[in-house]
Amino acid sequence: MTQPSSHYAVDDVPAVGASAAKRGFWSSRMAFILAATGSAVGLGNIWKFPYITGENGGGAFVLVYLLCIAIIGIPIMMAEVLIGRRGGHSPINSMRTLARIFKLSPRWVWLAGMGVFASFVILSFYSVIGGWATSYVLTAASGQLSGQSADAIGAMFSGLLGDPVRLLIWHSLFMGLTMLVVARGLRGGLERSVTILMPALFILLLIMVGYASTTGHFGEAARFLFQPDFSRLTTQGVLIALGHAFFTLSLGIGVMMAYGSYLQQDISIARTSVTVSVLDTVVALLAGMAIFPIVFANGLEPGSGPGLIFQTLPLAFAQMPWGSVFGTVFFVLLVFAAWTSAISLLEPIVEWLEEMDGMNRVTSTLLAGGLCWLLGIASILSLNACPLAMFPLFEGKTIFDLLDYLTANVLLPLGGLTVAVFAGWFLKRATLEEELALPQPWFGLWYSVLRYISPVAVAIVFVYNLF
Ligand code: PHE
């Protein structure tokens, strides 16, 4: 990290400038893009996007998701990064600082507090799924997949879900790895590895798309993903698409605020936010194009739920030449993508504990990670065929479904809505102009979208889903 000077013209924030300079900055625009992409690209793109698309009928859902990214996600990402850079601290203290400078209610800090809570809940089940992905590294590497039929591969996955002890071991391993990096502050090294791993993941996805195009069902998959059939879209589906736009871009919980606080003043927030969002979206669409041809070629059910990628991609690895090698590399990269996202979830909680109690980093990590790990066990026990699956809460939902629903579809959009209102209505326009340094009409466009369209769209989707 380097130490450029920062200078603000339109409001008086000397303390922030000093603190930001002390904390250091990303070494380059690229470093920020890599870290933010590392957080954004994860299980959300490769595991969650395909399965919720399958469950919600395809094309129309994808269209709504893309619209949400463009008109809600990107403007709110810019606002989050902006708040972080202007505030110059961890999310909670950035909000506190800005609220003080602009003479606003100190209650705005609760927004960041809600983000910490949401990070905690997301990480608990994210680590369980990260554990599934980690276990598939071994499955692929041991050659167990080669030549297997769709049924055998389905049975392998159900076997994993039905075995709480194995799930616990993999969940513990994944969470342990995440805690290790956060406790030792190894972020720098990890971010550098993103430079190699992200492009590698991208290339492997392209290879998988190439393989999928040989199944003879590529056109069917493309129609499923890109030809909107609005009769298959429900209001619930619209909420899920909106929630996923927040989840996949790591928005609404302060991650982008935290990363923004290390961004130099001369780097364009708009360009970097658009770059990160486009990269994230491309990865999700590629994952869809890799998975759905296999689904259709093998007569699988697109709406089969969270196991979708674990039942389809292994089938491709079972059939293609060098499948065990490709499979191993693919799952290693997936674990890495999940790991960089998990770290970005744990980091703000740990930072908050450190600031609040003056606890040291290792103790904070052990406490926060340990509690997430415990909550993860509740998700494990609620998965199919495990003891708690007998007590489905709320309309047949498991604890895992419920935590996923509560965070992605309620807390994140609510966090994003509040960020839009805070930046759009409570910060000074001159401050926003100075931070974004965008020429007209771009600034005006962003400002109106952030003030009116993004919050109203989120509110409408919420209200519709209440009734
Ligand atoms: N964006 C990550 C993914 O798509 C998940 C995540 C959500 C990470 C929120 C940080 C904050 O996998």
Side-chain angles (χ1 to χ4, degrees):
M1 292 200 176
T2 53
Q3 317 255 315
S5 65
S6 42
H7 39 76
Y8 300 125
V10 296
D11 45 37
D12 174 29
V13 282
V16 180
S19 136
K22 204 168 73 227
R23 301 163 81 229
F25 293 93
W26 299 110
S27 53
S28 64
R29 179 177 116 87
M30 200 55 194
F32 171 78
I33 292 184
L34 285 173
T37 311
S39 169
V41 174
L43 295 169
N45 307 61
I46 295 169
W47 158 74
K48 193 172 180 191
F49 171 73
Y51 99 72
I52 56 176
T53 299
E55 282 181 340
N56 288 284
F61 175 83
V62 174
L63 185 68
V64 176
Y65 159 76
L66 293 175
L67 282 174
C68 288
I69 296 272
I71 61 174
I72 302 174
I74 295 177
I76 291 183
M77 185 185 290
M78 289 168 61
E80 264 199 38
V81 176
L82 185 158
I83 293 173
R85 179 157 85 182
R86 198 64 169 192
H89 293 275
S90 72
I92 291 198
N93 282 330
S94 285
M95 291 300 292
R96 185 170 289 138
T97 309
L98 291 177
R100 200 184 58 233
I101 291 166
F102 291 93
K103 303 196 173 47
L104 306 171
S105 158
R107 288 210 191 94
W108 282 106
V109 172
W110 293 1
L111 165 61
M114 185 171 86
V116 169
F117 175 70
S119 306
F120 173 79
V121 176
I122 294 178
L123 184 55
S124 77
F125 66 81
Y126 203 85
S127 167
V128 174
I129 315 292
W132 296 2
T134 319
S135 85
Y136 269 76
V137 173
L138 198 70
T139 310
S142 63
Q144 280 175 57
L145 294 175
S146 37
Q148 297 290 1
S149 66
D151 284 346
I153 281 172
M156 257 182 224
F157 181 68
S158 320
L160 174 67
L161 281 203
D163 188 342
V165 175
R166 255 166 78 203
L167 291 174
L168 180 64
I169 292 173
W170 292 112
H171 162 54
S172 310
L173 183 68
F174 186 86
M175 189 61 98
L177 285 172
T178 306
M179 286 163 66
L180 191 72
V181 176
V182 174
R184 302 189 54 188
L186 287 177
R187 279 262 309 286
L190 204 82
E191 257 126 38
R192 247 166 280 134
S193 58
V194 173
T195 330
I196 304 163
L197 296 169
M198 281 290 159
L201 179 66
F202 194 79
I203 291 170
L204 222 76
L205 273 174
L206 282 178
I207 295 176
M208 296 311 294
V209 174
Y211 170 80
S213 69
T214 66
T215 60
H217 288 72
F218 200 68
E220 195 180 338
R223 279 193 299 282
F224 179 74
L225 282 174
F226 300 114
Q227 210 171 63
D229 171 359
F230 288 96
S231 67
R232 299 171 80 175
L233 188 67
T234 57
T235 46
Q236 169 92 341
V238 175
L239 176 64
I240 294 174
L242 173 76
H244 189 60
F246 283 99
F247 185 85
T248 192
L249 295 178
S250 303
L251 294 181
I253 65 177
V255 169
M256 292 298 161
M257 252 184 236
Y259 283 4
S261 71
Y262 298 108
L263 190 64
Q264 292 105 314
Q265 201 62 31
D266 57 349
I267 292 178
S268 160
I269 291 180
R271 272 181 56 199
T272 44
S273 302
V274 171
T275 310
V276 172
S277 306
V278 169
L279 288 174
D280 184 80
T281 308
V282 171
V283 172
L285 295 178
L286 281 180
M289 284 312 294
I291 285 163
F292 284 104
I294 304 172
V295 170
F296 295 124
N298 292 280
L300 301 171
E301 170 51 48
S304 64
L308 190 66
I309 69 156
F310 297 97
Q311 288 158 331
T312 48
L313 291 179
L315 199 53
F317 300 129
Q319 292 160 358
M320 67 203 269
W322 295 87
S324 297
V325 176
F326 280 119
T328 311
V329 177
F330 178 84
F331 283 112
V332 166
L333 294 173
L334 179 61
V335 169
F336 250 97
W339 200 22
T340 49
S341 303
I343 290 162
S344 78
L345 284 162
L346 185 55
E347 179 83 35
I349 316 176
V350 168
E351 241 176 61
W352 174 67
L353 283 177
E354 281 183 313
E355 282 178 358
M356 214 182 52
D357 282 320
M359 230 187 266
N360 72 37
R361 194 158 183 93
V362 174
T363 320
S364 315
T365 309
L366 284 175
L367 182 67
L371 286 173
C372 282
W373 176 79
L374 268 183
L375 188 59
I377 294 179
S379 285
I380 288 183
L381 293 177
S382 81
L383 290 167
N384 287 334
C386 291
L388 276 185
M390 291 181 305
F391 308 106
L393 297 166
F394 300 92
E395 311 164 358
K397 283 198 165 85
T398 60
I399 294 178
F400 159 73
D401 292 331
L402 210 67
L403 296 182
D404 174 42
Y405 194 90
L406 171 76
T407 48
N409 302 336
V410 181
L411 293 182
L412 302 191
L414 209 60
L417 173 78
T418 329
V419 163
V421 170
F422 181 72
W425 295 90
F426 289 87
L427 295 186
K428 271 201 276 178
R429 183 184 167 119
T431 305
L432 304 175
E433 276 174 347
E434 186 177 77
E435 280 295 332
L436 291 188
L438 271 181
Q440 286 297 1
W442 296 109
F443 179 82
L445 181 68
W446 170 80
Y447 195 50
S448 328
V449 171
L450 188 78
R451 278 163 74 91
Y452 304 104
I453 303 195
S454 316
V456 170
V458 174
I460 291 179
V461 178
F462 266 144
V463 169
Y464 258 98
N465 272 277
L466 286 178
F467 302 108

